[in-house]
Amino acid sequence: MTRYANKKAVVIGGTHGMGLAVAEAESGAEVLVTGRDQRNIEAARAKLLSRAHVVRSNISDMADIVTLGAEVGQKLGQIDFLHVNAGVANLEPVERVTEDSHDRTFDINTKGAFFTAQRLLPLISDGGAIVFTSSIADESGTGGMSVYSGSKAALRAFAKVLAAELLPRRIRVNVVSPGFIDTPTMGVADASAEERAAFMAIGDAVTPMKRHGTMEEVARAVLFLAFDATFTTGARLTVDGGLGQDLSPTPA
């Protein structure tokens, strides 16, 4: 239960879903997680108990990012690992995209992630790690996902440049790109229960392994990049059941 003893980590978007699974898996570490929804915040406090600091923070709000930097410094000091996991997806065909929906997606997935990392960089210890949650959509061409895919592709490009810039500090920067993962929102927060059920059926059908991944499987990949993959930086690790790998099953 103490594999990550004496480690300190920040998980942005860590009060639910994959981010919470990462925080739960960091046994022994002192963790600070952020979220916006008060119900998720209270649920995370109940799950993570005294080893975690649960902070209300909006990744798309620049003032919140500045305040978060001060809170991390006060509560944790130097940290070993930053996981930027917050994200939003709106599935819209090109003709239905509005300026508001476009900007909301980029404000959270790209701008917020960029400036959060920038603000917390001075607090990451030399030799530490950053992992961004992207998506296999960051290099796919799926209808209805133009803005989401673009935001995640930009995030991936930023992560590669940041990996280069942080080489002198030995801070490794990598990206985990999940496919269909069984989360409370299925990655689409505004979808109805029926739409999520249909989305899950589609995911099971198109994924070569014929199932969704679990949040725990993503968490293991994230923590591998954070602590075990010590000769890996600038990389993209897919957790997608083979979906993005052009696999062709042998005919029956």
Short mmCIF file of all heavy atoms in Angstrom, two decimals, residues 1-5 7-12 14 17-33 48 51 80-85 127-133 172-178 214-232 237-239:
data_model
loop_
_atom_site.label_atom_id
_atom_site.label_comp_id
_atom_site.label_asym_id
_atom_site.label_seq_id
_atom_site.Cartn_x
_atom_site.Cartn_y
_atom_site.Cartn_z
N MET A 1 0.80 -1.21 0.00
CA MET A 1 0.00 0.00 0.00
C MET A 1 0.84 1.27 0.00
O MET A 1 0.32 2.36 0.05
CB MET A 1 -0.94 0.00 1.22
CG MET A 1 -1.97 -1.09 1.21
SD MET A 1 -3.10 -0.97 -0.19
CE MET A 1 -3.98 0.52 0.25
N THR A 2 2.16 1.14 -0.06
CA THR A 2 3.00 2.34 0.04
C THR A 2 3.96 2.45 -1.13
O THR A 2 5.06 2.95 -0.98
CB THR A 2 3.78 2.33 1.36
OG1 THR A 2 4.59 1.14 1.41
CG2 THR A 2 2.85 2.38 2.54
N ARG A 3 3.56 1.96 -2.30
CA ARG A 3 4.46 1.99 -3.44
C ARG A 3 4.93 3.40 -3.75
O ARG A 3 6.08 3.61 -4.15
CB ARG A 3 3.77 1.39 -4.67
CG ARG A 3 4.70 1.35 -5.87
CD ARG A 3 4.04 0.81 -7.11
NE ARG A 3 4.98 0.85 -8.22
CZ ARG A 3 4.65 0.67 -9.48
NH1 ARG A 3 3.41 0.38 -9.79
NH2 ARG A 3 5.56 0.74 -10.42
N TYR A 4 4.03 4.38 -3.59
CA TYR A 4 4.38 5.76 -3.93
C TYR A 4 4.60 6.61 -2.67
O TYR A 4 4.37 7.81 -2.68
CB TYR A 4 3.28 6.37 -4.81
CG TYR A 4 3.05 5.57 -6.08
CD1 TYR A 4 1.90 4.81 -6.25
CD2 TYR A 4 4.00 5.56 -7.10
CE1 TYR A 4 1.69 4.07 -7.40
CE2 TYR A 4 3.81 4.82 -8.25
CZ TYR A 4 2.65 4.08 -8.40
OH TYR A 4 2.46 3.33 -9.54
N ALA A 5 5.06 5.97 -1.63
CA ALA A 5 5.33 6.69 -0.38
C ALA A 5 6.32 7.82 -0.63
O ALA A 5 7.28 7.68 -1.38
CB ALA A 5 5.89 5.73 0.66
N LYS A 7 5.93 10.38 -2.33
CA LYS A 7 5.71 11.06 -3.61
C LYS A 7 4.58 12.07 -3.43
O LYS A 7 3.65 11.88 -2.63
CB LYS A 7 5.35 10.07 -4.71
CG LYS A 7 6.43 9.04 -5.00
CD LYS A 7 7.69 9.68 -5.55
CE LYS A 7 8.72 8.64 -5.95
NZ LYS A 7 9.98 9.26 -6.44
N LYS A 8 4.64 13.13 -4.23
CA LYS A 8 3.59 14.15 -4.22
C LYS A 8 3.12 14.37 -5.65
O LYS A 8 3.94 14.52 -6.56
CB LYS A 8 4.11 15.46 -3.62
CG LYS A 8 4.50 15.33 -2.15
CD LYS A 8 4.96 16.66 -1.58
CE LYS A 8 5.33 16.53 -0.11
NZ LYS A 8 5.75 17.83 0.47
N ALA A 9 1.80 14.38 -5.82
CA ALA A 9 1.24 14.44 -7.17
C ALA A 9 0.05 15.37 -7.21
O ALA A 9 -0.68 15.54 -6.23
CB ALA A 9 0.83 13.05 -7.63
N VAL A 10 -0.16 15.96 -8.38
CA VAL A 10 -1.34 16.78 -8.65
C VAL A 10 -2.08 16.14 -9.82
O VAL A 10 -1.47 15.84 -10.86
CB VAL A 10 -0.97 18.23 -8.99
CG1 VAL A 10 -2.20 19.02 -9.46
CG2 VAL A 10 -0.33 18.91 -7.79
N VAL A 11 -3.37 15.93 -9.65
CA VAL A 11 -4.20 15.38 -10.73
C VAL A 11 -5.29 16.40 -11.05
O VAL A 11 -6.22 16.61 -10.27
CB VAL A 11 -4.84 14.04 -10.34
CG1 VAL A 11 -5.66 13.48 -11.52
CG2 VAL A 11 -3.76 13.03 -9.92
N ILE A 12 -5.15 17.06 -12.19
CA ILE A 12 -6.15 18.02 -12.65
C ILE A 12 -7.32 17.23 -13.24
O ILE A 12 -7.14 16.39 -14.10
CB ILE A 12 -5.56 18.96 -13.72
CG1 ILE A 12 -4.28 19.64 -13.20
CG2 ILE A 12 -6.59 20.00 -14.15
CD1 ILE A 12 -4.46 20.50 -11.99
N GLY A 14 -9.28 15.39 -11.20
CA GLY A 14 -9.10 14.16 -10.45
C GLY A 14 -10.22 13.82 -9.50
O GLY A 14 -10.06 12.95 -8.64
N GLY A 17 -14.05 9.89 -12.62
CA GLY A 17 -13.59 9.22 -13.83
C GLY A 17 -12.15 8.77 -13.77
O GLY A 17 -11.65 8.30 -12.75
N MET A 18 -11.46 8.90 -14.90
CA MET A 18 -10.08 8.42 -15.02
C MET A 18 -9.14 9.14 -14.07
O MET A 18 -8.22 8.53 -13.51
CB MET A 18 -9.60 8.56 -16.47
CG MET A 18 -10.32 7.65 -17.44
SD MET A 18 -9.69 7.76 -19.15
CE MET A 18 -10.28 9.40 -19.62
N GLY A 19 -9.35 10.43 -13.86
CA GLY A 19 -8.48 11.17 -12.95
C GLY A 19 -8.57 10.67 -11.53
O GLY A 19 -7.56 10.52 -10.83
N LEU A 20 -9.79 10.39 -11.08
CA LEU A 20 -9.96 9.85 -9.73
C LEU A 20 -9.33 8.46 -9.62
O LEU A 20 -8.73 8.12 -8.59
CB LEU A 20 -11.45 9.78 -9.37
CG LEU A 20 -11.80 9.24 -8.00
CD1 LEU A 20 -11.15 10.05 -6.89
CD2 LEU A 20 -13.32 9.21 -7.80
N ALA A 21 -9.44 7.66 -10.68
CA ALA A 21 -8.81 6.34 -10.67
C ALA A 21 -7.29 6.45 -10.54
O ALA A 21 -6.66 5.65 -9.84
CB ALA A 21 -9.16 5.57 -11.95
N VAL A 22 -6.70 7.45 -11.17
CA VAL A 22 -5.25 7.69 -11.04
C VAL A 22 -4.92 8.06 -9.60
O VAL A 22 -3.99 7.51 -9.00
CB VAL A 22 -4.79 8.79 -12.01
CG1 VAL A 22 -3.35 9.22 -11.69
CG2 VAL A 22 -4.89 8.31 -13.46
N ALA A 23 -5.69 8.98 -9.02
CA ALA A 23 -5.42 9.40 -7.64
C ALA A 23 -5.58 8.23 -6.67
O ALA A 23 -4.77 8.07 -5.75
CB ALA A 23 -6.37 10.53 -7.27
N GLU A 24 -6.59 7.39 -6.87
CA GLU A 24 -6.80 6.24 -5.99
C GLU A 24 -5.66 5.24 -6.10
O GLU A 24 -5.30 4.58 -5.12
CB GLU A 24 -8.12 5.55 -6.34
CG GLU A 24 -9.35 6.30 -5.89
CD GLU A 24 -10.61 5.50 -6.14
OE1 GLU A 24 -11.04 5.41 -7.30
OE2 GLU A 24 -11.15 4.95 -5.16
N ALA A 25 -5.09 5.11 -7.30
CA ALA A 25 -4.05 4.11 -7.53
C ALA A 25 -2.69 4.53 -6.99
O ALA A 25 -1.79 3.69 -6.87
CB ALA A 25 -3.92 3.81 -9.03
N GLU A 26 -2.53 5.81 -6.65
CA GLU A 26 -1.23 6.29 -6.17
C GLU A 26 -1.09 6.00 -4.67
O GLU A 26 -1.01 6.90 -3.84
CB GLU A 26 -1.08 7.78 -6.47
CG GLU A 26 -0.98 8.08 -7.95
CD GLU A 26 -0.82 9.55 -8.23
OE1 GLU A 26 -1.82 10.29 -8.19
OE2 GLU A 26 0.32 9.98 -8.51
N SER A 27 -1.02 4.73 -4.35
CA SER A 27 -1.00 4.32 -2.95
C SER A 27 0.23 4.87 -2.23
O SER A 27 1.36 4.73 -2.68
CB SER A 27 -1.00 2.79 -2.86
OG SER A 27 0.08 2.24 -3.59
N GLY A 28 -0.02 5.52 -1.11
CA GLY A 28 1.07 6.06 -0.31
C GLY A 28 1.45 7.48 -0.63
O GLY A 28 2.14 8.14 0.16
N ALA A 29 1.04 7.98 -1.79
CA ALA A 29 1.41 9.34 -2.20
C ALA A 29 0.49 10.37 -1.54
O ALA A 29 -0.65 10.08 -1.17
CB ALA A 29 1.34 9.48 -3.71
N GLU A 30 1.00 11.59 -1.43
CA GLU A 30 0.17 12.72 -1.05
C GLU A 30 -0.30 13.38 -2.34
O GLU A 30 0.52 13.75 -3.18
CB GLU A 30 0.95 13.71 -0.19
CG GLU A 30 0.10 14.86 0.34
CD GLU A 30 0.88 15.82 1.22
OE1 GLU A 30 2.10 15.63 1.38
OE2 GLU A 30 0.27 16.76 1.76
N VAL A 31 -1.60 13.50 -2.51
CA VAL A 31 -2.18 13.90 -3.78
C VAL A 31 -3.07 15.12 -3.62
O VAL A 31 -3.80 15.24 -2.63
CB VAL A 31 -3.00 12.74 -4.40
CG1 VAL A 31 -3.54 13.12 -5.78
CG2 VAL A 31 -2.18 11.46 -4.50
N LEU A 32 -3.01 16.01 -4.60
CA LEU A 32 -3.96 17.11 -4.69
C LEU A 32 -4.74 16.91 -5.98
O LEU A 32 -4.14 16.78 -7.04
CB LEU A 32 -3.26 18.47 -4.68
CG LEU A 32 -4.17 19.71 -4.67
CD1 LEU A 32 -3.51 20.85 -3.88
CD2 LEU A 32 -4.50 20.20 -6.09
N VAL A 33 -6.06 16.86 -5.86
CA VAL A 33 -6.91 16.69 -7.04
C VAL A 33 -7.81 17.90 -7.19
O VAL A 33 -8.17 18.56 -6.21
CB VAL A 33 -7.75 15.40 -6.97
CG1 VAL A 33 -6.86 14.18 -6.83
CG2 VAL A 33 -8.77 15.45 -5.83
N LEU A 48 -10.91 9.46 -1.12
CA LEU A 48 -9.46 9.62 -0.96
C LEU A 48 -9.05 9.91 0.48
O LEU A 48 -7.88 9.75 0.83
CB LEU A 48 -8.98 10.76 -1.87
CG LEU A 48 -9.20 10.52 -3.37
CD1 LEU A 48 -8.84 11.76 -4.17
CD2 LEU A 48 -8.37 9.33 -3.86
N ARG A 51 -5.37 11.54 2.83
CA ARG A 51 -4.13 11.65 2.07
C ARG A 51 -4.24 12.60 0.88
O ARG A 51 -3.25 12.88 0.21
CB ARG A 51 -3.66 10.29 1.58
CG ARG A 51 -4.47 9.69 0.45
CD ARG A 51 -3.91 8.33 0.06
NE ARG A 51 -4.62 7.74 -1.05
CZ ARG A 51 -4.34 7.97 -2.32
NH1 ARG A 51 -3.36 8.78 -2.65
NH2 ARG A 51 -5.03 7.37 -3.28
N ASP A 80 6.23 15.66 -7.55
CA ASP A 80 6.93 14.70 -8.39
C ASP A 80 6.21 14.43 -9.70
O ASP A 80 6.83 14.02 -10.69
CB ASP A 80 7.08 13.35 -7.64
CG ASP A 80 7.80 13.52 -6.32
OD1 ASP A 80 9.03 13.74 -6.36
OD2 ASP A 80 7.14 13.46 -5.26
N PHE A 81 4.90 14.67 -9.71
CA PHE A 81 4.11 14.26 -10.87
C PHE A 81 2.91 15.17 -11.04
O PHE A 81 2.20 15.48 -10.09
CB PHE A 81 3.65 12.81 -10.68
CG PHE A 81 2.65 12.32 -11.69
CD1 PHE A 81 2.83 12.53 -13.04
CD2 PHE A 81 1.52 11.63 -11.27
CE1 PHE A 81 1.90 12.08 -13.97
CE2 PHE A 81 0.58 11.16 -12.18
CZ PHE A 81 0.78 11.40 -13.54
N LEU A 82 2.70 15.60 -12.28
CA LEU A 82 1.51 16.36 -12.66
C LEU A 82 0.76 15.60 -13.73
O LEU A 82 1.33 15.25 -14.77
CB LEU A 82 1.90 17.75 -13.19
CG LEU A 82 0.78 18.55 -13.88
CD1 LEU A 82 -0.33 18.89 -12.88
CD2 LEU A 82 1.35 19.83 -14.51
N HIS A 83 -0.51 15.32 -13.47
CA HIS A 83 -1.37 14.68 -14.46
C HIS A 83 -2.46 15.66 -14.86
O HIS A 83 -3.29 16.04 -14.02
CB HIS A 83 -1.98 13.40 -13.88
CG HIS A 83 -2.86 12.66 -14.84
ND1 HIS A 83 -2.62 12.59 -16.19
CD2 HIS A 83 -4.00 11.96 -14.64
CE1 HIS A 83 -3.54 11.87 -16.78
NE2 HIS A 83 -4.40 11.48 -15.86
N VAL A 84 -2.45 16.08 -16.10
CA VAL A 84 -3.46 17.01 -16.61
C VAL A 84 -4.51 16.19 -17.34
O VAL A 84 -4.29 15.75 -18.48
CB VAL A 84 -2.85 18.09 -17.52
CG1 VAL A 84 -3.93 19.06 -17.98
CG2 VAL A 84 -1.74 18.84 -16.79
N ASN A 85 -5.65 16.00 -16.70
CA ASN A 85 -6.64 15.04 -17.18
C ASN A 85 -7.97 15.68 -17.57
O ASN A 85 -8.79 15.04 -18.20
CB ASN A 85 -6.87 13.98 -16.08
CG ASN A 85 -7.94 12.99 -16.46
OD1 ASN A 85 -7.76 12.16 -17.33
ND2 ASN A 85 -9.09 13.07 -15.78
N GLY A 127 13.63 15.90 -12.61
CA GLY A 127 13.51 14.46 -12.63
C GLY A 127 12.08 13.97 -12.47
O GLY A 127 11.84 12.76 -12.45
N GLY A 128 11.12 14.89 -12.38
CA GLY A 128 9.71 14.52 -12.24
C GLY A 128 9.07 14.19 -13.57
O GLY A 128 9.75 13.94 -14.58
N ALA A 129 7.74 14.20 -13.60
CA ALA A 129 7.03 13.79 -14.81
C ALA A 129 5.72 14.53 -14.95
O ALA A 129 5.09 14.92 -13.97
CB ALA A 129 6.78 12.28 -14.79
N ILE A 130 5.32 14.69 -16.21
CA ILE A 130 4.00 15.23 -16.57
C ILE A 130 3.36 14.23 -17.53
O ILE A 130 4.02 13.74 -18.45
CB ILE A 130 4.11 16.61 -17.26
CG1 ILE A 130 4.83 17.62 -16.38
CG2 ILE A 130 2.73 17.12 -17.64
CD1 ILE A 130 5.15 18.93 -17.09
N VAL A 131 2.09 13.95 -17.31
CA VAL A 131 1.32 13.14 -18.25
C VAL A 131 0.04 13.89 -18.58
O VAL A 131 -0.70 14.31 -17.68
CB VAL A 131 0.98 11.75 -17.69
CG1 VAL A 131 0.09 10.98 -18.68
CG2 VAL A 131 2.25 10.95 -17.42
N PHE A 132 -0.21 14.07 -19.87
CA PHE A 132 -1.46 14.67 -20.34
C PHE A 132 -2.39 13.56 -20.83
O PHE A 132 -1.94 12.62 -21.49
CB PHE A 132 -1.20 15.64 -21.50
CG PHE A 132 -0.43 16.86 -21.14
CD1 PHE A 132 0.95 16.90 -21.30
CD2 PHE A 132 -1.07 17.99 -20.66
CE1 PHE A 132 1.67 18.04 -20.97
CE2 PHE A 132 -0.36 19.13 -20.33
CZ PHE A 132 1.02 19.16 -20.48
N THR A 133 -3.66 13.69 -20.52
CA THR A 133 -4.65 12.78 -21.10
C THR A 133 -5.12 13.36 -22.42
O THR A 133 -5.73 14.44 -22.45
CB THR A 133 -5.86 12.58 -20.18
OG1 THR A 133 -5.42 11.99 -18.95
CG2 THR A 133 -6.87 11.64 -20.83
N ARG A 172 10.19 14.33 -17.59
CA ARG A 172 9.64 13.60 -18.73
C ARG A 172 8.18 14.03 -18.95
O ARG A 172 7.42 14.19 -18.00
CB ARG A 172 9.70 12.09 -18.47
CG ARG A 172 11.13 11.56 -18.36
CD ARG A 172 11.16 10.10 -17.95
NE ARG A 172 10.57 9.89 -16.63
CZ ARG A 172 9.37 9.38 -16.42
NH1 ARG A 172 8.61 9.01 -17.45
NH2 ARG A 172 8.90 9.23 -15.19
N VAL A 173 7.82 14.21 -20.23
CA VAL A 173 6.47 14.64 -20.59
C VAL A 173 5.92 13.66 -21.61
O VAL A 173 6.49 13.48 -22.70
CB VAL A 173 6.47 16.07 -21.18
CG1 VAL A 173 5.04 16.52 -21.46
CG2 VAL A 173 7.18 17.05 -20.26
N ASN A 174 4.82 13.02 -21.27
CA ASN A 174 4.21 12.03 -22.15
C ASN A 174 2.70 12.20 -22.20
O ASN A 174 2.11 12.95 -21.42
CB ASN A 174 4.56 10.62 -21.66
CG ASN A 174 6.05 10.32 -21.79
OD1 ASN A 174 6.57 10.20 -22.89
ND2 ASN A 174 6.74 10.21 -20.65
N VAL A 175 2.10 11.50 -23.15
CA VAL A 175 0.65 11.58 -23.38
C VAL A 175 0.07 10.18 -23.33
O VAL A 175 0.64 9.25 -23.90
CB VAL A 175 0.37 12.22 -24.75
CG1 VAL A 175 -1.09 12.03 -25.15
CG2 VAL A 175 0.74 13.70 -24.75
N VAL A 176 -1.06 10.03 -22.65
CA VAL A 176 -1.82 8.79 -22.72
C VAL A 176 -3.07 9.08 -23.55
O VAL A 176 -3.75 10.09 -23.34
CB VAL A 176 -2.19 8.26 -21.31
CG1 VAL A 176 -3.09 9.22 -20.55
CG2 VAL A 176 -2.84 6.90 -21.41
N SER A 177 -3.33 8.21 -24.53
CA SER A 177 -4.45 8.43 -25.45
C SER A 177 -5.44 7.27 -25.34
O SER A 177 -5.26 6.22 -25.97
CB SER A 177 -3.94 8.55 -26.90
OG SER A 177 -3.18 9.73 -27.07
N PRO A 178 -6.48 7.43 -24.53
CA PRO A 178 -7.46 6.35 -24.38
C PRO A 178 -8.39 6.25 -25.58
O PRO A 178 -8.64 7.23 -26.29
CB PRO A 178 -8.24 6.76 -23.13
CG PRO A 178 -7.42 7.83 -22.47
CD PRO A 178 -6.71 8.52 -23.58
N THR A 214 -11.22 -0.11 -18.86
CA THR A 214 -11.64 0.36 -17.55
C THR A 214 -10.82 1.58 -17.14
O THR A 214 -9.71 1.81 -17.65
CB THR A 214 -11.47 -0.72 -16.48
OG1 THR A 214 -10.06 -0.97 -16.29
CG2 THR A 214 -12.17 -2.02 -16.90
N MET A 215 -11.35 2.34 -16.21
CA MET A 215 -10.62 3.49 -15.69
C MET A 215 -9.32 3.05 -15.03
O MET A 215 -8.30 3.74 -15.11
CB MET A 215 -11.49 4.26 -14.71
CG MET A 215 -12.72 4.89 -15.34
SD MET A 215 -13.72 5.84 -14.18
CE MET A 215 -14.41 4.53 -13.15
N GLU A 216 -9.34 1.87 -14.40
CA GLU A 216 -8.15 1.36 -13.73
C GLU A 216 -7.05 1.01 -14.74
O GLU A 216 -5.86 1.18 -14.45
CB GLU A 216 -8.52 0.14 -12.89
CG GLU A 216 -9.38 0.45 -11.66
CD GLU A 216 -10.82 0.79 -12.01
OE1 GLU A 216 -11.29 0.38 -13.11
OE2 GLU A 216 -11.48 1.48 -11.20
N GLU A 217 -7.45 0.53 -15.92
CA GLU A 217 -6.45 0.24 -16.94
C GLU A 217 -5.77 1.52 -17.44
O GLU A 217 -4.57 1.53 -17.69
CB GLU A 217 -7.11 -0.52 -18.10
CG GLU A 217 -7.42 -1.97 -17.75
CD GLU A 217 -8.23 -2.68 -18.81
OE1 GLU A 217 -9.22 -2.09 -19.33
OE2 GLU A 217 -7.90 -3.83 -19.13
N VAL A 218 -6.54 2.58 -17.56
CA VAL A 218 -5.95 3.87 -17.93
C VAL A 218 -5.03 4.36 -16.82
O VAL A 218 -3.91 4.84 -17.08
CB VAL A 218 -7.03 4.91 -18.23
CG1 VAL A 218 -6.39 6.27 -18.52
CG2 VAL A 218 -7.88 4.47 -19.41
N ALA A 219 -5.47 4.22 -15.58
CA ALA A 219 -4.66 4.67 -14.44
C ALA A 219 -3.31 3.96 -14.42
O ALA A 219 -2.27 4.58 -14.16
CB ALA A 219 -5.40 4.45 -13.13
N ARG A 220 -3.31 2.65 -14.69
CA ARG A 220 -2.03 1.92 -14.69
C ARG A 220 -1.10 2.43 -15.78
O ARG A 220 0.11 2.53 -15.57
CB ARG A 220 -2.30 0.42 -14.86
CG ARG A 220 -2.89 -0.23 -13.62
CD ARG A 220 -2.79 -1.75 -13.66
NE ARG A 220 -3.63 -2.33 -14.69
CZ ARG A 220 -4.89 -2.71 -14.49
NH1 ARG A 220 -5.46 -2.55 -13.31
NH2 ARG A 220 -5.58 -3.26 -15.47
N ALA A 221 -1.67 2.78 -16.93
CA ALA A 221 -0.84 3.33 -18.02
C ALA A 221 -0.28 4.70 -17.64
O ALA A 221 0.89 5.00 -17.91
CB ALA A 221 -1.67 3.44 -19.30
N VAL A 222 -1.11 5.52 -17.02
CA VAL A 222 -0.66 6.85 -16.60
C VAL A 222 0.48 6.73 -15.59
O VAL A 222 1.51 7.42 -15.71
CB VAL A 222 -1.84 7.64 -16.00
CG1 VAL A 222 -1.34 8.92 -15.31
CG2 VAL A 222 -2.84 8.00 -17.08
N LEU A 223 0.32 5.87 -14.60
CA LEU A 223 1.35 5.75 -13.56
C LEU A 223 2.61 5.07 -14.08
O LEU A 223 3.71 5.33 -13.58
CB LEU A 223 0.78 5.01 -12.35
CG LEU A 223 -0.33 5.77 -11.63
CD1 LEU A 223 -0.89 4.96 -10.47
CD2 LEU A 223 0.16 7.13 -11.13
N PHE A 224 2.47 4.22 -15.09
CA PHE A 224 3.66 3.67 -15.75
C PHE A 224 4.47 4.80 -16.37
O PHE A 224 5.70 4.89 -16.17
CB PHE A 224 3.25 2.66 -16.83
CG PHE A 224 4.36 2.28 -17.76
CD1 PHE A 224 5.39 1.46 -17.34
CD2 PHE A 224 4.37 2.76 -19.07
CE1 PHE A 224 6.43 1.11 -18.21
CE2 PHE A 224 5.40 2.42 -19.94
CZ PHE A 224 6.43 1.59 -19.50
N LEU A 225 3.80 5.69 -17.10
CA LEU A 225 4.51 6.82 -17.71
C LEU A 225 5.07 7.76 -16.64
O LEU A 225 6.15 8.33 -16.81
CB LEU A 225 3.57 7.59 -18.63
CG LEU A 225 3.14 6.88 -19.91
CD1 LEU A 225 2.07 7.71 -20.64
CD2 LEU A 225 4.33 6.64 -20.83
N ALA A 226 4.35 7.89 -15.54
CA ALA A 226 4.77 8.83 -14.49
C ALA A 226 5.99 8.37 -13.72
O ALA A 226 6.88 9.18 -13.43
CB ALA A 226 3.61 9.07 -13.53
N PHE A 227 6.05 7.07 -13.41
CA PHE A 227 7.08 6.61 -12.48
C PHE A 227 7.97 5.48 -12.99
O PHE A 227 9.10 5.35 -12.52
CB PHE A 227 6.42 6.17 -11.17
CG PHE A 227 5.74 7.28 -10.43
CD1 PHE A 227 4.35 7.37 -10.40
CD2 PHE A 227 6.47 8.25 -9.77
CE1 PHE A 227 3.72 8.40 -9.73
CE2 PHE A 227 5.85 9.29 -9.09
CZ PHE A 227 4.48 9.37 -9.07
N ASP A 228 7.49 4.68 -13.91
CA ASP A 228 8.26 3.51 -14.33
C ASP A 228 8.97 3.69 -15.66
O ASP A 228 10.02 3.09 -15.89
CB ASP A 228 7.36 2.27 -14.41
CG ASP A 228 6.79 1.89 -13.05
OD1 ASP A 228 7.52 2.05 -12.06
OD2 ASP A 228 5.63 1.47 -12.99
N ALA A 229 8.40 4.48 -16.56
CA ALA A 229 8.97 4.64 -17.90
C ALA A 229 10.06 5.72 -17.86
O ALA A 229 9.93 6.80 -18.44
CB ALA A 229 7.88 5.00 -18.90
N THR A 230 11.14 5.40 -17.20
CA THR A 230 12.17 6.41 -16.90
C THR A 230 13.05 6.77 -18.10
O THR A 230 13.86 7.70 -18.00
CB THR A 230 13.06 5.92 -15.75
OG1 THR A 230 13.58 4.63 -16.07
CG2 THR A 230 12.26 5.84 -14.46
N PHE A 231 12.91 6.05 -19.22
CA PHE A 231 13.67 6.39 -20.43
C PHE A 231 12.70 6.73 -21.57
O PHE A 231 12.99 6.51 -22.74
CB PHE A 231 14.58 5.21 -20.83
CG PHE A 231 15.68 5.58 -21.81
CD1 PHE A 231 16.51 6.66 -21.57
CD2 PHE A 231 15.88 4.84 -22.96
CE1 PHE A 231 17.53 6.99 -22.46
CE2 PHE A 231 16.89 5.16 -23.86
CZ PHE A 231 17.72 6.24 -23.60
N THR A 232 11.56 7.29 -21.20
CA THR A 232 10.51 7.61 -22.17
C THR A 232 10.05 9.04 -21.97
O THR A 232 9.62 9.42 -20.88
CB THR A 232 9.31 6.67 -21.99
OG1 THR A 232 9.74 5.32 -22.16
CG2 THR A 232 8.21 6.98 -23.00
N LEU A 237 1.16 6.96 -25.51
CA LEU A 237 0.78 5.59 -25.18
C LEU A 237 -0.73 5.44 -25.34
O LEU A 237 -1.50 6.12 -24.67
CB LEU A 237 1.19 5.26 -23.74
CG LEU A 237 0.77 3.89 -23.20
CD1 LEU A 237 1.34 2.75 -24.05
CD2 LEU A 237 1.21 3.73 -21.76
N THR A 238 -1.14 4.57 -26.26
CA THR A 238 -2.57 4.35 -26.47
C THR A 238 -3.09 3.27 -25.52
O THR A 238 -2.41 2.29 -25.25
CB THR A 238 -2.88 3.92 -27.91
OG1 THR A 238 -2.13 2.74 -28.23
CG2 THR A 238 -2.50 5.02 -28.89
N VAL A 239 -4.29 3.51 -25.02
CA VAL A 239 -4.99 2.53 -24.18
C VAL A 239 -6.36 2.38 -24.84
O VAL A 239 -7.35 2.99 -24.43
CB VAL A 239 -5.12 3.02 -22.73
CG1 VAL A 239 -5.71 1.93 -21.84
CG2 VAL A 239 -3.76 3.44 -22.18
#
